[in-house]
Amino acid sequence: MLVADCIAFKYGTRSVLKEVSFTVNKGEICSLLGNNGAGKSTLLKCILGFLRPGRGRVFLDGKDLSSMNRTELARRMGYVPQMDMIPARLTVFDTILMGRRPHIIWEARPRDLEVVGSVIETLGLQELSLRYLDELSGGELQKVVIARALAQEPEILLLDEPTSNLDPKNEVEVMEIVKYAVEERGMAALIAIHDVNLALRFSDRFVLLKDGCVLASGGPEVIVPTSLKEVYGTDFDIGYSKSMKVVVPLSKKWEDRKELISGGKSYGQG
Amino acid sequence: METATAVSVTSAYRSYSRRKVLFIVAISTATILLGLFSMVMGSAGLSPLDVIKAIVGRADKHVAQIVINIRLIRVLAAIISGINLSLAGCVMQSVLRNPLASDYTLGVSQGAAFGAALAIVALGAGSVQSTSADAVIIRNPYLVTVAAFVGALSATLAILLIVRYRGMTPEAMILAGIAFGSIFSAGTVITQYFATDVQVASIVFWTFGDVGRVSWQELAIMGAVTFPAIFFFMLNRWNYNALLSGDDVAISLGINVRRTRMLGMFFSSLITAVVVSFMGIIAFLGLVSSHLMRRTVGNDYRYLIPASCAMGSFLLLGSDTLSRTIVAPVVLPVGAITSFMGGPLFLYMLAKGNRRI
């Protein structure tokens, strides 16, 4: 469904993306993994058209995104940005209604309100619908932002670290919402994410970014200690919990230093 | 398929929206009543009935002359200026994402005043007198408006450039605005000393605006600018809402952020310029009315735009009525009254550290 073909992007002379190609299929969640500064956010912004890639093209259902106008792009792609903004003083309902903006000509029609109502219901936000955003907790706020993107009725959702500031309960809830939306509505989702375990638990496909290139892409089989070490620069253990793959990052440097400090003994014994 | 809860959520929202509409209608009605009251007040000793008769064309010539050409024009000028200044304030606050932004705090009004003063003194569009009653006479209102607009636009461009090349906190942006405002105000004062016969009165003309100086022709120019501007802003109301959530979100909703920002500032400068060219600077009105409405109807521009228009005209009309009656028969400049009202609010907002809209 979404095909990125040889995307390259430079900030000034600094090359962030060199040659990135991958595919996301309908009904799939695809996780974009890479260390800080690997270009995950930049890649999302190139796909969304915020940034113009120096080279390469993105296709959605075979159609080149650069040939679409702003409204068409907004009708087909929903974006959930990183949470670094002070929330505006708007009600939850008004915020989600804004997702209908690409579909509204002059004023919201009954159908727009219906879509917002049903998204609110699906995400269980009924109690909050007339509350202001700045009165919400981080988890609630993130759900509202996702609800706004869902109200756009897009074909693909692009999420930039949607779980980075959330507690474990909210992390899982947010990812479940995304999974539900993808399965129920036959959408696709591309998620830039740091938490490898969450990615493993919820996504069907993985794209590992390293130095502006795709190191590996594919199903859960690409998540192995060697590829993770290559991406994050540290060792990983892989285990299983309730038949789910779990990765544990190890810190070699810290182990070495600990030995150095305590003269070869661990703190427990000293 | 829609379920019962989804229906109740949307119907709760509908009644919430209806309350906002009712509120706007109430302020508009209050403005009209205040307008009638304002036309009754004054030394001619007219009754409300006289005023209504004069408006519908059934009063004698003398009364009609007072009501239409002195009182009504003044009320209409207050209403249109109130609309313009509060619209400019509420749009600037969205496109710059700065709750402290307004025509006055960014120096846009001062820029317009400088442009107008320059047109009158240097380009011969009018003359500066020494008497306080008619301190400035405008002979070519079009030239004055254009020059005021150029002045307003140069202040706006300066702000936009500084925002673009140095990411700024809202407070720093206002400091820059104060700097620009002072430069323009100094320019205005100096310009007037080049006028043939100048006294303090004409300087007061620009520093504290007054709605009682307008002619019908000038009012027509203001209206010709104001109504298309309201339409334009209403057309962009969804975009202003989206900008509240940041540029990235706005772009992802299909909005041309740069164009929305530029055109928003352009039209805000234009509507400010027409007010300032004919009436002088009316400080803080845009800031006060838009914030009163943000607190009551909220930040949703679909309602905030009409609500600010209503509140702006209500406040300016009220301030003008007060300025005519408080030490009658002396008429104070209305700009002094609005400053008394807005200054404390501005300080309060700064103290509260209100950084978001």
Side-chain angles (χ1 to χ4, degrees):
Chain A
M1 169 182 215
L2 181 87
V3 179
D5 182 26
C6 290
I7 305 285
F9 183 81
K10 284 180 185 174
Y11 279 114
T13 54
R14 192 167 61 89
S15 185
V16 182
L17 302 171
K18 285 171 192 148
E19 191 183 311
V20 177
S21 303
F22 63 92
T23 308
V24 186
N25 297 317
K26 204 171 171 173
E28 262 186 9
I29 295 183
C30 175
S31 282
L32 203 54
L33 299 169
N35 60 2
N36 289 323
K40 301 188 294 293
S41 298
T42 307
L43 180 57
L44 289 185
K45 287 178 181 175
C46 283
I47 295 172
L48 286 156
F50 297 3
L51 301 172
R52 192 169 274 276
R55 199 154 43 82
R57 289 194 291 179
V58 187
F59 299 92
L60 192 60
D61 286 336
K63 196 174 174 196
D64 192 340
L65 289 187
S66 61
S67 71
M68 295 184 194
N69 66 26
R70 289 166 194 278
T71 310
E72 194 179 350
L73 284 174
R75 284 181 184 171
R76 303 184 72 161
M77 294 197 289
Y79 174 55
V80 176
Q82 252 182 63
M83 272 205 294
D84 51 0
M85 289 265 310
I86 308 167
R89 202 169 161 78
L90 276 177
T91 63
V92 168
F93 197 106
D94 283 325
T95 306
I96 301 174
L97 183 61
M98 218 133 71
R100 299 301 298 165
R101 160 70 177 67
H103 303 270
I104 288 172
I105 311 288
W106 173 259
E107 188 48 71
R109 291 157 303 163
R111 153 126 174 88
D112 296 308
L113 298 183
E114 273 168 32
V115 170
V116 174
S118 79
V119 170
I120 286 180
E121 198 208 350
T122 309
L123 271 58
L125 299 169
Q126 294 93 326
E127 298 294 311
L128 304 176
S129 72
L130 294 181
R131 292 261 295 278
Y132 286 110
L133 292 191
D134 55 359
E135 298 167 355
L136 305 185
S137 70
E140 292 166 339
L141 186 61
Q142 187 65 308
K143 285 176 202 161
V144 172
V145 174
I146 293 176
R148 178 180 61 211
L150 290 178
Q152 274 172 265
E153 298 188 308
E155 291 158 35
I156 183 163
L157 269 184
L158 292 94
L159 303 97
D160 198 349
E161 293 181 21
T163 58
S164 55
N165 293 315
L166 305 180
D167 60 36
K169 174 173 172 278
N170 279 306
E171 277 183 347
V172 171
E173 279 184 18
V174 160
M175 293 301 285
E176 274 171 347
I177 288 170
V178 174
K179 191 155 185 76
Y180 174 83
V182 166
E183 283 173 357
E184 286 294 303
R185 303 182 171 205
M187 293 164 39
L190 177 61
I191 309 181
I193 190 165
H194 276 305
D195 190 324
V196 184
N197 286 317
L198 268 184
L200 272 169
R201 183 164 162 190
F202 288 98
S203 37
D204 309 286
R205 183 182 282 272
F206 304 84
V207 174
L208 275 61
L209 279 186
K210 167 80 179 168
D211 295 333
C213 295
V214 176
L215 183 85
S217 71
E221 72 278 358
V222 302
I223 306 295
V224 289
T226 46
S227 64
L228 291 177
K229 179 164 187 174
E230 188 88 16
V231 169
Y232 295 105
T234 187
D235 288 313
F236 281 83
D237 253 356
I238 291 194
Y240 287 88
S241 161
K242 291 184 179 170
S243 81
M244 271 190 297
K245 208 178 197 176
V246 176
V247 303
V248 182
L250 308 167
S251 173
K252 188 79 177 63
K253 275 185 193 157
W254 176 239
E255 290 292 322
D256 290 348
R257 195 172 301 152
K258 207 161 72 178
E259 279 179 22
L260 217 76
I261 296 166
S262 60
K265 288 178 209 157
S266 71
Y267 286 112
Q269 294 164 326
Chain B
M1 197 188 74
E2 212 182 346
T3 59
T5 37
V7 170
S8 75
V9 167
T10 51
S11 66
Y13 179 73
R14 282 205 179 92
S15 70
Y16 165 76
S17 305
R18 249 193 317 274
R19 282 203 298 279
K20 292 184 182 179
V21 174
L22 277 179
F23 187 69
I24 295 167
V25 170
I27 301 176
S28 311
T29 315
T31 309
I32 293 169
L33 293 177
L34 183 62
L36 280 177
F37 172 75
S38 175
M39 285 193 272
V40 173
M41 295 296 290
S43 53
L46 300 174
S47 72
L49 195 65
D50 293 333
V51 169
I52 291 168
K53 271 187 182 164
I55 290 173
V56 296
R58 286 165 157 256
D60 69 71
K61 221 174 165 191
H62 174 66
V63 175
Q65 166 71 15
I66 293 175
V67 171
I68 305 292
N69 287 336
I70 298 177
R71 304 265 171 91
L72 181 64
I73 192 172
R74 191 176 181 116
V75 165
L76 289 178
I79 288 176
I80 292 184
S81 317
I83 288 175
N84 283 9
L85 295 175
S86 37
L87 268 180
C90 88
V91 170
M92 284 174 176
Q93 285 155 17
S94 165
V95 299
L96 297 175
R97 279 185 60 74
N98 186 343
L100 301 171
S102 73
D103 58 294
Y104 183 69
T105 48
L106 292 177
V108 176
S109 274
Q110 292 88 327
F114 175 61
L118 209 60
I120 288 166
V121 174
L123 305 177
S127 55
V128 180
Q129 311 283 320
S130 58
T131 56
S132 65
D134 276 311
V136 172
I137 295 169
I138 294 172
R139 283 195 212 92
N140 185 343
Y142 299 101
L143 183 57
V144 175
T145 309
V146 170
F149 182 47
V150 171
L153 212 52
S154 54
T156 303
L157 283 178
I159 290 286
L160 285 176
L161 281 176
I162 216 165
V163 169
R164 180 138 179 233
Y165 291 106
R166 303 195 64 100
M168 277 197 153
T169 63
E171 289 85 355
M173 200 191 291
I174 299 306
L175 284 179
I178 289 169
F180 293 130
S182 314
I183 295 169
F184 283 122
S185 298
T188 306
V189 172
I190 290 169
T191 306
Q192 289 175 64
Y193 276 93
F194 286 100
T196 42
D197 180 15
V198 115
Q199 280 186 6
V200 188
S202 61
I203 294 168
V204 171
F205 178 95
W206 295 111
T207 330
F208 289 113
D210 188 347
V211 292
R213 299 163 177 160
V214 170
S215 71
W216 282 108
Q217 188 195 11
E218 290 164 2
L219 199 64
I221 295 174
M222 289 175 65
V225 171
T226 303
F227 292 105
I230 295 178
F231 179 73
F232 173 79
F233 290 141
M234 281 306 278
L235 201 62
N236 276 284
R237 64 205 188 285
W238 292 93
N239 301 352
Y240 300 139
N241 278 349
L243 278 175
L244 295 179
S245 303
D247 287 9
D248 279 357
V249 170
I251 299 172
S252 79
L253 293 172
I255 291 158
N256 187 338
V257 168
R258 208 190 218 296
R259 195 176 65 190
T260 305
R261 180 164 288 143
M262 289 299 168
L263 286 180
M265 290 303 285
F266 180 86
F267 278 102
S268 301
S269 310
L270 181 62
I271 57 179
T272 303
V274 286
V275 172
V276 173
S277 26
F278 305 131
M279 300 185 199
I281 296 171
I282 299 172
F284 289 120
L285 186 87
L287 193 75
V288 174
S289 57
S290 56
H291 276 283
L292 277 178
M293 290 301 94
R294 280 183 196 285
R295 273 165 199 276
T296 43
V297 303
N299 289 318
D300 183 346
Y301 274 77
R302 290 179 296 155
Y303 302 102
L304 183 61
I305 290 174
S308 296
C309 288
M311 195 56 178
S313 38
F314 179 79
L315 278 183
L316 191 54
L317 193 56
S319 305
D320 183 52
T321 311
L322 198 64
S323 74
R324 288 200 294 130
T325 50
I326 194 167
V327 283
V330 176
V331 179
L332 296 173
V334 71
I337 306 274
T338 58
S339 288
F340 259 121
M341 197 165 65
L345 176 87
F346 189 64
L347 288 173
Y348 168 74
M349 285 174 58
L350 271 176
K352 219 178 110 219
N354 192 350
R355 296 177 64 107
R356 65 164 169 261
I357 290 180

